């Protein structure tokens, strides 16, 4: 059966010293009180090599928030999937709505990134989700279906290695959360698309996380849905008490 996962997305927060302190504090909290789900922290690139050795790998996985769509070479300022993997990181968030909106990441670019991540044994946490106008026009299903094209070109074996995150853009950092019913409805739709493309077994084994203003107070209700397999957490991942509160929703 699929895994339940709570993944933190630090975004562009915390300098190196603050990031190390946060990772240490989280590691202490979770070694003292073991989680009932997989836990991942996705940090800015500069933190990765310092954070991977200080967390217990059997409890906390570490990931990047992005990687390049090229293997290597003259791409000033970019960080490749191979470089991410060489830090000991095991995951990478790809296709986050902030990358799509502010850095113009298209489905074709994301398809390259996903392939390079997989080629370097990183688990992509692939994000999809509609903006407010699309939700208001009841177009959320079409939107997520077209965003999935970047990963539906994968072989069944490769698709089985990825994690999906449904994040309605109108709920990210806004304090507005999708209701548990809205989350279940679209997660079930996403799983039905995976059934059509790859069959029941692959669909049953795919973890689909919910993201967007997830907090300790709403995590339990969201994660109780049969098709919601955990969360991708932004703001609340920056404080150990909040992040652990969300992780504890699986207890
Ligand atoms: P949020 O962000 O929890 O702060 O809404 C979620 C995300 O963007 O991954």
């Amino acid at each position: 059966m699929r895994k339940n996962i709570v993944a933190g997305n630090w975004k562009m927060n915390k300098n190196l010293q603050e990031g190390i302190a946060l990772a240490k504090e989280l590691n202490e909290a979770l070694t003292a009180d073991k989680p009932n789900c997989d836990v991942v922290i996705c940090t800015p690139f500069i933190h990765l090599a310092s954070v991977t050795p200080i967390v217990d790998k059997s409890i906390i996985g570490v990931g990047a928030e992005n990687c390049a769509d090229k293997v290597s070479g003259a791409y000033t300022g970019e960080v490749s999937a191979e470089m991410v993997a060489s830090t000991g990181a095991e995951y990478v968030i790809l296709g986050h709505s902030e990358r799509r909106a502010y850095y113009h990441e298209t489905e074709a670019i994301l398809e390259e990134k996903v392939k390079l991540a997989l080629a370097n044994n990183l688990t992509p946490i692939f994000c999809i989700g509609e903006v407010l106008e699309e939700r208001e026009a009841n177009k959320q299903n079409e939107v997520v279906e077209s965003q999935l094209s970047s990963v539906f070109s994968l072989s069944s074996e490769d698709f089985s290695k990825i994690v999906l995150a449904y994040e309605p853009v109108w709920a990210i950092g806004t304090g507005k959360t999708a209701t548990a019913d809205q989350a279940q409805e679209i997660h079930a739709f996403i799983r039905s698309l995976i059934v059509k493309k790859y069959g029941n077994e692959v669909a049953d084994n795919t973890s689909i996380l919910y993201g967007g203003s997830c907090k300790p107070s709403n995590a339990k209700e969201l994660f109780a849905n049969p098709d919601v397999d955990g969360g991708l957490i932004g703001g609340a991942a920056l404080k150990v008490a909040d992040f652990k509160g969300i992780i504890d929703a699986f207890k």
Side-chain angles (χ1 to χ4, degrees):
M1 252 325 246
R2 57 186 175 262
K3 288 177 179 166
N4 289 321
I5 304 169
V6 174
N9 173 10
W10 289 6
K11 306 194 179 183
M12 197 173 75
N13 293 296
K14 306 282 177 194
N15 66 27
L16 182 60
Q17 290 71 30
E18 291 164 347
I20 290 172
L22 176 59
K24 273 192 183 152
E25 192 188 336
L26 181 69
N27 191 58
E28 274 162 30
L30 297 186
T31 42
D33 181 18
K34 298 227 164 49
N36 254 346
C37 60
D38 284 15
V39 174
V40 179
I41 49 176
C42 296
T43 79
F45 292 127
I46 63 129
H47 297 69
L48 294 172
S50 306
V51 162
T52 49
I54 61 175
V55 296
D56 179 340
K57 231 179 133 175
S58 69
I59 302 178
I60 304 174
V62 176
E65 300 170 14
N66 180 31
C67 70
D69 61 337
K70 303 286 193 297
V71 175
S72 64
Y75 301 101
T76 302
E78 287 294 292
V79 176
S80 70
E82 187 192 351
M83 291 171 183
V84 169
S86 73
T87 67
E90 296 168 300
Y91 295 81
V92 59
I93 296 173
L94 292 173
H96 191 278
S97 62
E98 288 149 19
R99 302 280 333 160
R100 292 175 187 266
Y102 308 146
Y103 304 98
H104 315 293
E105 295 193 357
T106 61
E107 301 311 333
I109 290 172
L110 291 172
E111 195 171 336
E112 289 308 308
K113 293 190 178 198
V114 168
K115 285 186 182 146
L116 288 167
L118 289 170
N120 286 283
N121 297 317
L122 296 171
T123 299
I125 301 174
F126 187 75
C127 305
I128 55 177
E130 79 286 354
V131 300
L132 185 61
E133 303 83 76
E134 292 162 339
R135 168 66 65 167
E136 283 171 350
N138 202 26
K139 289 204 165 125
Q140 62 276 12
N141 287 7
E142 280 171 52
V143 171
V144 297
E145 186 163 7
S146 95
Q147 291 170 332
L148 282 169
S149 66
S150 309
V151 285
F152 275 4
S153 60
L154 296 172
S155 67
S156 166
E157 193 193 337
D158 278 345
F159 184 85
S160 304
K161 295 176 186 156
I162 75 168
V163 171
L164 292 178
Y166 167 69
E167 300 203 300
V169 181
W170 47 270
I172 295 178
T174 58
K176 255 188 167 184
T177 319
T179 64
D181 288 348
Q182 281 174 323
Q184 171 55 26
E185 194 182 354
I186 193 150
H187 280 232
F189 172 71
I190 293 163
R191 203 176 305 281
S192 75
L193 295 173
I194 306 170
V195 171
K196 259 197 246 165
K197 177 77 192 168
Y198 295 106
N200 278 318
E201 195 184 329
V202 172
D204 275 348
N205 287 322
T206 304
S207 299
I208 308 176
L209 315 184
Y210 168 81
S213 298
C214 197
K215 338 179 236 281
S217 58
N218 59 25
K220 218 179 175 86
E221 198 189 350
L222 285 160
F223 301 170
N225 285 297
D227 288 295
V228 178
D229 310 309
L232 182 56
I233 319 300
L238 298 173
K239 284 200 187 119
V240 169
D242 290 345
F243 195 48
K244 186 166 182 304
I246 295 170
I247 292 164
D248 288 346
F250 280 114
K251 291 207 161 161

